[in-house]
Amino acid sequence: MSAGSERRAAAAPRAVPAPRASRVELRLSCRHLLDRDPLTKSDPSVLLLLRSQNQWVQVGATEVVRSSLHPVFSKVFTLDYYFEEVQKLRFEVYDTRGPSDLGYQDDDFLGGMECTLGQVGRSRGAGGWEYAVCCLDLAHFARSPLLWELAAGGIVAQKKVTRALLLRFGRNAGKSTITVTAEDISGNNGYVELSFRARKLDDKDLFSKSDPFLELYRVNDDGSEQLVYRTEVVKDNLSPVWEPFKVSLNNLCSCEETRPLKCLVWDHDSRGKHDFIGEFSTTFEEMQKAFGEDQAQWDCVNAKYRQKKRNYKNSGVVILADLKSYRVHSFLDYIMGGCQIHFTVAIDFTASNGDPRNSCSLHYINPFQPNEYLQALVAVGEICQDYDSDKRFSALGFGARIPPKYSPSVPTQVSHDFAINFNPEDDECEGIQGVWRPIGTGLPRVHLYGPTNCAPVISKVARMAAPRRQYYILLVLTDGVVTDMADAREAIVRASHLPMSIIIVGVGNADFTDMQTLDGDEGILRSPRGEPALRDIVQFVPFRELKSASPAALAKCVLAEVPRQVVEYFSYRELPPRGLGTHTHDAEPSCTPPPGPPLTLL
């Protein structure tokens, strides 16, 4: 049912990541939209944008609902919700032109609305605590700094918000409204894959067969119905087989298996006047039981026909062809299941750090004030050591000439992956202090040189991670942009297939703009050959932005993405935490794990 391409939006400047937030699902519907089409009705779609760093960034777009002025969209947007932030959202409704052009132009603009995702504030009212006003910045529509205020809280605070759509210059778009419904899904940890087919549906077309599609609704506590999913249209077929689809348990039944569900079957009409074929009611609990007993089929009933026709039985039969139920495991599930995290630090020993004997050097050892390298190492290492049973860390250096290869009289090649303890057979150190001690004693023995090549240490840790026996975190501390960017990208793309995360902390005052290329926050990282990274495994943080922060705040920021990266890897490998099954409700994953040695969670 979806069509079109998304409008390009300016990428937001990179922000320091915050801890993982609660998750909120948004669902959209509109009423009384303007009709822009002379022969038919508008074909609406909604763009969702989020205000970030003083820019509007596109989150996504709904599907196109053909020929409808009262669309209910099946697309669900999932957003992170931060209680401590004002998260402004913008909804823009457009009339689309065709399957390859969503037509996001002024002439196709049907109206827009802005509000906040969360609660703006609270004020004491006569009836108790009331939510304060939500500011709607309509400058985008008015082309001028026009500001409206509406007496309402954010979407999350109210759970459901209905607002008038506004055109440019703050004019009302007739009686057009948009309704946004929010649900907290933070506690949800599962989803279900469903596949429906039908048999002998009623034929609603005179010169051909029906073009059926199915809509699945859940019934809310107040009796209202919420669209969960709308299938594609199967043309000219009275026994259609619809494509499988996945939906969260929260979206399907609010994680209540006995909540009523309703399925409606329609004959699609290009003008939007779909013909009703029939419906049936069930629950997710009933679906599972019936599917397990190989009896998952329901009569598709048209109540009007039942009243008028004495021998009426049904308007066809809808069959649940497949049901797979999955649990989405959390980072804590894997840690409690025994997953070990191996921590490796790689430290920049290039000449740009300055002479370690000089107090201006980034490597200067001050007994009263730890340098930036030590601050970052301690903040991150003390967190990681709690997940490593033996508390032994690999410590590597790069960008220096080292003994016995280096002596002042006989300069030789530079090493980019040497053991800081100068023991190539065992580069592990006992705890954080064990890492820093050889740095202090080893600095006089090395010749800080260059260039700043990171690919060798990434590849070395990747080789350790290849057996897939535990998860690896590589912390790279550097004072400048890497000089082997192409090789680094290649190494990161290869490492994205392994149980590995990379954290790069830039120390000092260098310009680290180019380092953001390695961080996948602004798009998928690709190797020089064009191969995309399987996962986003790199987090880059300039230390100066957190210099005044507490060690706890620094660690929280630097490690913010690691839990997600760990879960993504094990999910990709379809490996559950130890002690838990691979699936729920007797359903098995639809595909086998990728090739590779088995992973043992130690």
Side-chain angles (χ1 to χ4, degrees):
M1 298 289 290
S2 298
S5 59
E6 295 184 350
R7 180 183 65 174
R8 294 181 176 271
R14 189 188 173 280
V16 176
R20 301 303 297 171
S22 299
R23 303 283 282 172
V24 174
E25 284 187 345
L26 301 182
R27 297 175 181 80
L28 311 179
S29 62
C30 297
R31 297 283 295 171
H32 307 294
L33 293 179
L34 297 177
D35 193 353
R36 298 292 197 189
D37 295 342
L39 301 178
T40 62
K41 297 176 182 177
S42 295
D43 302 323
S45 175
V46 181
L47 270 180
L48 172 59
L49 301 101
L50 173 68
R51 189 73 172 177
S52 176
Q53 303 253 327
N54 296 319
Q55 293 187 45
W56 287 108
V57 180
Q58 183 175 319
V59 175
T62 68
E63 76 279 15
V64 177
V65 177
R66 296 295 177 190
S67 191
S68 177
L69 303 183
H70 311 287
V72 177
F73 300 98
S74 62
K75 167 73 176 180
V76 178
F77 296 99
T78 303
L79 301 177
D80 288 338
Y81 167 61
Y82 300 94
F83 173 79
E84 67 277 12
E85 295 182 10
V86 177
Q87 295 170 270
K88 292 184 178 181
L89 302 178
R90 172 186 289 165
F91 301 89
E92 299 180 359
V93 186
Y94 290 88
D95 177 20
T96 62
R97 293 178 180 272
S100 62
D101 178 19
L102 284 182
Y104 296 131
Q105 307 295 330
D106 288 345
D107 291 344
D108 304 302
F109 183 54
L110 300 181
M113 184 273 281
E114 292 182 20
C115 63
T116 63
L117 177 60
Q119 169 190 344
V120 177
R122 291 184 178 183
S123 60
R124 185 70 176 177
W129 288 102
E130 296 178 350
Y131 296 109
V133 299
C134 167
C135 295
L136 304 188
D137 181 2
L138 302 175
H140 173 74
F141 308 123
R143 308 290 192 236
S144 64
L146 177 64
L147 185 67
W148 290 63
E149 294 185 352
L150 297 181
I155 296 173
V156 171
Q158 295 193 2
K159 295 187 178 179
K160 187 175 184 179
V161 171
T162 299
R163 293 285 177 269
L165 291 174
L166 300 177
L167 299 172
R168 293 189 299 274
F169 309 108
R171 295 180 294 113
N172 283 329
K175 296 181 180 180
S176 300
T177 62
I178 184 170
T179 297
V180 185
T181 304
E183 286 189 85
D184 180 11
I185 60 169
S186 303
N188 177 40
N189 65 345
Y191 66 95
V192 63
E193 181 176 339
L194 301 173
S195 176
F196 286 97
R197 62 186 178 90
R199 186 174 63 240
K200 296 182 179 179
L201 295 177
D202 283 353
D203 192 352
K204 297 291 185 177
D205 295 341
L206 183 60
F207 299 107
S208 62
K209 298 178 181 178
S210 295
D211 305 321
F213 68 94
L214 180 145
E215 290 182 328
L216 176 61
Y217 290 83
R218 77 158 187 264
V219 180
N220 297 320
D221 293 336
D222 61 0
S224 63
E225 298 175 358
Q226 175 65 57
L227 177 64
V228 173
Y229 189 81
R230 181 185 294 122
T231 70
E232 77 283 4
V233 176
V234 178
K235 294 286 188 179
D236 197 29
N237 197 324
L238 301 182
S239 297
V241 177
W242 292 289
E243 291 291 331
F245 61 91
K246 294 179 181 179
V247 61
S248 71
L249 287 176
N250 188 80
N251 189 8
L252 177 66
C253 59
S254 301
C255 295
E256 300 173 14
E257 296 187 2
T258 58
R259 179 175 292 277
L261 304 175
K262 184 178 288 188
C263 286
L264 283 70
V265 181
W266 303 85
D267 174 27
H268 181 265
D269 183 88
S270 60
R271 298 168 298 173
K273 297 181 179 180
H274 310 306
D275 293 319
F276 179 64
I277 295 177
E279 64 179 306
F280 67 91
S281 296
T282 184
T283 66
F284 183 52
E285 181 181 59
E286 180 183 295
M287 282 183 177
Q288 296 174 86
K289 183 179 179 181
F291 184 76
E293 298 173 351
D294 200 24
Q295 297 177 353
Q297 64 179 41
W298 294 264
D299 287 337
C300 189
V301 176
N302 188 318
K304 291 183 178 180
Y305 289 177
R306 172 179 281 177
Q307 292 176 356
K308 293 180 180 180
K309 298 180 180 180
R310 178 177 300 179
N311 297 324
Y312 175 79
K313 182 178 179 181
N314 59 49
S315 294
V317 175
V318 176
I319 301 166
L320 179 59
D322 201 5
L323 183 153
K324 298 185 180 73
S325 186
Y326 305 95
R327 176 179 177 182
V328 180
H329 301 293
S330 69
F331 174 69
L332 190 58
D333 288 335
Y334 287 103
I335 295 301
M336 295 183 69
C339 176
Q340 294 285 301
I341 292 181
H342 186 276
F343 178 63
T344 300
V345 60
I347 298 176
D348 185 336
F349 283 93
T350 57
S352 55
N353 285 280
D355 188 339
R357 296 168 295 183
N358 190 318
S359 61
C360 295
S361 171
L362 292 171
H363 275 305
Y364 178 70
I365 305 297
N366 186 336
F368 305 104
Q369 177 64 41
N371 60 38
E372 293 185 9
Y373 280 104
L374 179 58
Q375 291 180 55
L377 172 61
V378 171
V380 177
E382 287 191 344
I383 298 294
C384 292
Q385 69 181 356
D386 291 338
Y387 305 102
D388 191 340
S389 58
D390 63 8
K391 305 294 188 289
R392 289 176 59 83
F393 305 142
S394 295
L396 306 173
F398 59 93
R401 291 173 171 170
I402 61 172
K405 294 182 179 180
Y406 164 74
S407 67
S409 58
V410 185
T412 55
Q413 66 182 13
V414 178
S415 176
H416 293 292
D417 59 355
F418 64 89
I420 289 177
N421 61 6
F422 300 111
N423 181 358
E425 302 301 322
D426 183 9
D427 58 20
E428 291 189 341
C429 303
E430 295 286 346
I432 297 298
Q433 293 300 323
V435 174
W436 193 248
R437 192 175 296 112
I439 294 178
T441 58
L443 275 170
R445 303 173 60 189
V446 302
H447 180 201
L448 274 60
Y449 208 76
T452 309
N453 290 350
C454 283
V457 292
I458 296 174
S459 298
K460 184 169 186 174
V461 175
R463 288 192 294 272
M464 292 190 290
R468 296 179 170 92
R469 294 192 177 93
Q470 51 189 338
Y471 200 89
Y472 285 76
I473 295 178
L474 170 61
L475 172 65
V476 179
L477 305 176
T478 179
D479 78 325
V481 176
V482 299
T483 52
D484 62 340
M485 186 65 73
D487 291 340
R489 287 164 49 202
E490 182 72 35
I492 291 170
V493 169
R494 292 181 180 179
S496 69
H497 293 260
L498 300 172
M500 181 174 169
S501 293
I502 302 171
I503 301 167
I504 304 175
V505 177
V507 301
N509 297 315
D511 182 2
F512 292 108
T513 303
D514 291 343
M515 292 294 286
Q516 295 176 9
T517 303
L518 303 179
D519 194 320
D521 288 347
E522 296 181 0
I524 298 175
L525 178 70
R526 295 181 180 272
S527 72
R529 298 178 290 106
E531 179 185 356
L534 177 67
R535 301 178 295 124
D536 174 15
I537 65 170
V538 177
Q539 168 79 344
F540 173 74
V541 178
F543 182 83
R544 59 173 173 262
E545 294 184 6
L546 299 162
K547 199 170 186 178
S548 59
S550 66
L554 172 62
K556 187 177 291 187
C557 172
V558 171
L559 295 171
E561 296 188 8
V562 169
R564 173 184 58 80
Q565 293 168 353
V566 171
V567 172
E568 282 181 351
Y569 172 75
F570 289 119
S571 298
Y572 161 73
R573 294 276 295 166
E574 293 189 357
L575 293 169
R578 189 172 62 181
L580 295 176
T582 57
H583 54 270
T584 61
H585 305 303
D586 301 324
E588 297 183 358
S590 58
C591 57
T592 58
L599 178 71
T600 303
L601 301 184
L602 302 177

